[in-house]
Amino acid sequence: MTGPKPVSPGYQRVIAQRSVRGLLAYVVLVVMAWCALFPILWALSGSLKKQGQLTNSLIPPHPQWSNYHTVFEYVPFGRMFLNTVIYAGCVTAGQVFFCSLAGYAFARLPFKGRDTLFLAYLATLMVPLTVTVIPQFILMRTFGWVDTPWAMIVPGLFGSAFGTFLMRQFFLTLPTELEEAAILDGCSIWQTYWRVLLPHARPAVMVLAVLTWVTVWNDFLWPLVMIQRTSISTLNLGLVWMQGQYTAHWPVLMAASILMLLPMIVIYAFAQKAFVRGIATSGLAGR
């Protein structure tokens, strides 16, 4: 009987190189994850401390859970939370509907100047947000919508260049046989979009919905310009008012920040698989 064959030096060298690469990749990922999570952990720790304990150890010696209750005493946090949910929900619904419509038209409907119009629309992504704030403010003032919920909802309701690009790229990946079968069954253009192609575009819709929700939820500049009343303000404005009015009580501010962050964590936890799948299949994964 012969024993096991000795492993060649070349094979051992390849195994060693792969092990080193895997270890380096693991170390890099751990460092990146720590850099991303440390501010959140520090805010969570600070929200359970007293004012003079923020620079102490990461683990609070005596957790101050009363800081979370104090948030609701300083500002109408529940009302601001509801306002932000309404704004984010309305804008997200509008973005998904109109961006999917535009993406379907640019991907599936042949018309003169389609590609040129799409490139021109896509070029608006290079325009900074600060450039459009003043024209939008003048429009809102002309319509009489300053300091009203309409100023928060209408400007972002009718789609965006990024959302249109995202939906167009996904619609281009769908087989043309779906559309041809729908036409043979007597479907109109609207029915083909609504009943056939849009249900297959759920991963891209999920990506667009999550990104839009997070953008509106974290928006600060536009609410700061348009809103003065507390009854219709957003959570971001509430944080600013807490800092200015109560001389920066940092543990309470961190508690409010954690409360603001929790809905984002819940949404991403439930939508993680669809979000990753949508990124991978909508032309945004570097393919």
Side-chain angles (χ1 to χ4, degrees):
M1 297 180 62
T2 59
K5 295 182 180 180
V7 180
S8 63
Y11 184 75
Q12 292 179 348
R13 191 162 45 249
V14 171
I15 295 297
Q17 291 176 354
R18 291 182 178 179
S19 300
V20 172
R21 291 176 183 175
L23 180 61
L24 289 177
Y26 182 78
V27 171
V28 171
L29 290 176
V30 169
V31 172
M32 293 175 62
W34 175 251
C35 292
L37 294 177
F38 178 76
I40 301 176
L41 295 176
W42 189 76
L44 179 61
S45 173
S47 68
L48 298 175
K49 295 179 180 179
K50 296 181 180 180
Q51 181 73 6
Q53 300 177 345
L54 292 178
T55 57
N56 295 348
S57 62
L58 187 63
I59 301 176
H62 303 287
Q64 303 294 318
W65 297 101
S66 60
N67 290 333
Y68 288 90
H69 183 267
T70 308
V71 172
F72 294 87
E73 296 178 352
Y74 280 3
V75 294
F77 190 88
R79 180 61 185 177
M80 292 179 178
F81 181 87
L82 179 62
N83 293 337
T84 310
V85 169
I86 293 175
Y87 299 152
C90 292
V91 174
T92 299
Q95 287 275 337
V96 168
F97 178 69
F98 289 104
C99 287
S100 61
L101 272 178
Y104 169 70
F106 282 123
R108 296 295 190 173
L109 302 182
F111 56 89
K112 187 176 181 180
R114 181 186 66 177
D115 296 338
T116 303
L117 180 61
F118 176 71
L119 290 177
Y121 188 38
L122 200 61
T124 60
L125 289 173
M126 296 184 292
V127 180
L129 176 63
T130 53
V131 175
T132 61
V133 167
I134 295 178
Q136 287 183 346
F137 175 80
I138 295 174
L139 284 175
M140 296 299 103
R141 187 179 62 180
T142 303
F143 295 150
W145 290 348
V146 175
D147 201 21
T148 65
W150 299 112
M152 290 297 303
I153 296 174
V154 174
L157 190 65
F158 299 101
S160 63
F162 173 77
T164 302
F165 168 76
L166 176 67
M167 297 304 302
R168 174 185 179 271
Q169 294 303 109
F170 191 89
F171 281 129
L172 287 175
T173 64
L174 297 179
T176 57
E177 289 78 5
L178 293 173
E179 196 171 4
E180 293 172 354
I183 294 175
L184 290 177
D185 289 338
C187 292
S188 62
I189 294 178
W190 168 260
Q191 291 173 333
T192 302
Y193 154 77
W194 185 256
R195 296 183 178 180
V196 179
L197 295 184
L198 189 60
H200 287 82
R202 288 179 181 176
V205 168
M206 183 62 67
V207 172
L208 179 59
V210 172
L211 293 179
T212 303
W213 184 282
V214 172
T215 300
V216 178
W217 189 272
N218 295 327
D219 191 14
F220 172 72
L221 178 61
W222 186 245
L224 180 65
V225 173
M226 299 305 303
I227 295 178
Q228 290 83 38
R229 288 183 294 167
T230 306
S231 59
I232 62 171
S233 65
T234 61
L235 290 174
N236 287 311
L237 291 182
L239 287 179
V240 175
W241 293 339
M242 289 173 61
Q243 180 178 357
Q245 186 176 0
Y246 297 98
T247 62
H249 193 350
W250 295 113
V252 178
L253 285 171
M254 290 182 180
S257 301
I258 295 298
L259 291 176
M260 285 183 57
L261 181 63
L262 287 179
M264 297 294 97
I265 297 177
V266 173
I267 289 175
Y268 186 76
F270 282 100
Q272 180 181 7
K273 291 184 179 180
F275 185 84
V276 174
R277 180 188 173 195
I279 290 291
T281 58
S282 57
L284 299 179
R287 295 184 178 181

